[in-house]
Amino acid sequence: MALTPEIFGSTIVALGAFNPAIFSPDWLENNGLLGAEDSSAARQAPSMMVSHQISVFETDWFALQVLENQFVLQSKGALSPAFTDLAAGTLTLLPHTPITAIGLNYLGHYRLPTENDYHRVGDVLAPKTIWSELFPDENNSAGLNNLTIQIRQEKRGKLPQTGDEKLITVRPSERIKFGVLMSYNDHHEVSANESNNQTSAERAVEIVTLDWESSWKDALRVFDGVISKALASPDE
Amino acid sequence: MNTLTQFPLTTNAANTGTSPISLHRGSKSFRWSAAARGQMTTTDFDLYLTEKQTPRALLARTEVPDIPISAPSVIAAKRLTASLDSTVIQLWEGRVIRVRLHEGIMDVLLNAKIGSLPAHTGEVELQWVHEQDRELVVPGAIFYLTLYKKTKSGSIENAQELRFRRLPSWSRQQVQRIECEAQLMLSKMKGRPLAE
């Protein structure tokens, strides 16, 4: 049976050249992307700020931060495709924004059944043999703090064909006792397609629209796989 | 290494890297600009300056400041309280089939997004549609029904949320592109042979 996370969310990050002053709750509402209540809540939230160099505001279901070179939309509360619609819709409104990369990020906190299982995951992913030899004092202990694995679509030693890659990170959860926090970054390099007059922003929208759901499912597959396989690994 | 779009794992006050907002030295006033953490572009919702960077702290130091201090042009950043506390149990994409206003009900078709469940029809009372979405409730409209578990301090909440899909209107360029593609497809179609 697949493991289910206790907490799960998503973030969409786009890199490029943005004009933060454009991004405001009113602008989203006037373009049909945000309801009147959400727009009002965002305007009244203490965190709201809209300026030439940074725009920040949030509602109960998303938080948006736009810098001159970065667009970040983070989910809050229950995750749904409405979150993706907001990201895609916002970027659709600015088809000539130069975008160089887009990342579909997923984050999950998983609770392990026992403390032993919790340590087992860390011991399988990051064996402690070397560290125990380097720090032999019995009063010392080594533990996994942060592990990131990069997945690229080419064989080791070969030059990458694209800049696309996935980064999977594992670390202890600060929210759940004996929990593991995992993140999945599905990174895509973006450029304009002159053959069909598609701008880089339109390509980014295409990635968000077509890949977000499949990336979500793959993130869950990877998260479940890492923990399940770690727990099922034979003892060293 | 490519500039990455990885989001940091923490959105609480425990910053794990440099703030995306840094202060430029050598200018006559503090300027806000985005900074990258090495080759990775990450972001952090905790936008407070560190204690060492605040004007008050700089004034408290004994060495002569190399730049005159003036008020930043942007009001000190407010904390963004983005927080994750929920996980999806089941998610349905729904389509409104019919709206029975006098009964306060909409007939819907639901497609589960998690697992291999068959599509099914149902009735949803309009009281579960937020006031801001009422104008979106028309036949053909798409909505998302999420059943989720929310972790609160001291308890677990089982809840559901219904949110209608919102997309921007078609842009002029999109319409033009579609018309061009339609013309191209039409030009490749052969006329039907006439029956003798």
Side-chain angles (χ1 to χ4, degrees), chain B residues 162-180:
Chain B
L162 192 151
R163 197 174 290 279
F164 270 76
R165 188 178 204 190
R166 288 175 178 271
L167 292 175
S169 306
W170 292 100
S171 68
R172 195 177 307 169
Q173 292 95 328
Q174 286 175 317
V175 172
Q176 284 175 349
R177 183 178 301 133
I178 291 169
E179 285 176 347
C180 285

Side-chain angles (χ1 to χ4, degrees), chain A residues 22-203:
Chain A
I22 289 175
F23 298 85
S24 69
D26 291 327
W27 179 70
L28 292 179
E29 181 185 353
N30 291 340
N31 283 283
L33 291 179
L34 210 58
E37 292 271 341
D38 282 339
S39 176
S40 174
R43 282 196 300 274
Q44 292 170 20
S47 57
M48 176 179 156
M49 179 166 65
V50 177
S51 73
H52 289 294
Q53 288 175 309
I54 179 171
S55 281
V56 176
F57 55 90
E58 59 185 310
T59 66
D60 63 354
W61 62 283
F62 75 88
L64 177 66
Q65 173 182 285
V66 183
L67 305 174
E68 289 172 308
N69 68 347
Q70 187 188 64
F71 168 99
V72 178
L73 185 68
Q74 186 188 1
S75 73
K76 292 170 65 178
L79 183 61
S80 85
F83 168 75
T84 322
D85 292 342
L86 180 60
T90 303
L91 296 176
T92 298
L93 291 173
L94 303 166
H96 298 294
T97 297
I99 291 180
T100 57
I102 191 148
L104 309 176
N105 297 276
Y106 308 88
L107 182 151
H109 292 259
Y110 286 78
R111 186 188 305 278
L112 279 299
T114 66
E115 181 178 357
N116 281 342
D117 288 338
Y118 167 72
H119 289 298
R120 178 149 190 79
V121 171
D123 290 342
V124 168
L125 295 178
K128 307 301 185 299
T129 311
I130 296 174
W131 306 105
S132 299
E133 292 173 2
L134 290 172
F135 297 92
D137 189 329
E138 62 179 14
N139 292 319
N140 284 331
S141 64
L144 188 155
N145 178 263
N146 195 340
L147 173 72
T148 298
I149 299 294
Q150 180 188 56
I151 306 294
R152 307 196 89 168
Q153 286 183 329
E154 72 273 339
K155 289 185 177 181
R156 183 179 288 184
K158 297 283 185 184
L159 284 173
Q161 298 299 310
T162 72
D164 294 359
E165 62 186 19
K166 292 178 173 56
L167 291 179
I168 292 97
T169 302
V170 184
R171 56 173 289 178
S173 168
E174 73 278 4
R175 299 281 302 273
I176 297 173
K177 191 177 180 182
F178 305 138
V180 172
L181 167 58
M182 305 194 66
S183 80
Y184 178 107
N185 165 245
D186 185 5
H187 174 87
H188 297 264
E189 297 283 304
V190 176
S191 59
N193 188 339
E194 292 179 358
S195 63
N196 62 357
N197 289 328
Q198 185 186 51
T199 66
S200 57
E202 290 169 338
R203 174 61 187 142

